[in-house]
């Protein structure tokens, strides 16, 4: 697995908002808070991620496609021009190897 560290959560939201295949953002605590999506090709897997010291509030990341505003919410927004992306909390996983987690720790 290869990983691509994005600069801000906005970059990750824009990636998800423009993707026809991905509409959730995953969250894993690992020496900070890692928000990520998995993508790739038939032969390679990519993890696009943002690492933050503090967790985001709410179970959804919201994106207003008209104003460009990014926010968080406890509930799904159904307003026009508003997209809500669920944040999936990971309690345990074996998708990301220990070696990759160690590399992410040092970001």
């Amino acid at each position: 697995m290869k990983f691509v560290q994005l600069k801000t959560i906005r970059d990750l939201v824009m990636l998800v908002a423009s993707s026809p295949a991905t509409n959730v953002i995953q969250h894993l605590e690992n020496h900070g808070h890692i928000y990520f999506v998995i993508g790739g090709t038939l032969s390679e897997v990519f993890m696009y991620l943002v690492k933050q010291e503090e967790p985001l509030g709410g179970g959804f990341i919201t994106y207003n496609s008209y104003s460009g505003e990014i926010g968080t919410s406890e509930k799904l927004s159904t307003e026009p021009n508003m997209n809500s992306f669920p944040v999936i909390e990971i309690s345990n996983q074996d998708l990301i190897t220990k070696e990759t987690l160690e590399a992410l720790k040092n970001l």
Side-chain angles (χ1 to χ4, degrees), residues 1-3 28 30 34 38 47 93-105:
M1 177 183 298
K2 296 183 179 184
F3 59 90
L28 175 68
N30 180 55
I34 300 171
I38 302 291
M47 181 172 140
Q93 59 86 38
D94 67 356
L95 175 68
I96 305 169
T97 65
K98 289 181 182 180
E99 293 80 18
T100 301
L101 287 174
E102 276 299 311
L104 294 174
K105 180 175 80 172

Side-chain angles (χ1 to χ4, degrees), residues 31-73:
H31 302 280
H33 297 270
I34 300 171
Y35 294 88
F36 67 96
V37 296
I38 302 291
T41 65
L42 292 175
S43 60
E44 283 193 285
V45 176
F46 299 96
M47 181 172 140
Y48 297 91
L49 68 102
V50 173
K51 185 174 178 184
Q52 300 188 162
E53 290 298 317
E54 296 297 320
L56 297 173
F60 294 89
I61 297 175
T62 59
Y63 169 61
N64 184 315
S65 60
Y66 181 72
S67 69
E69 183 179 336
I70 305 277
T72 60
S73 175

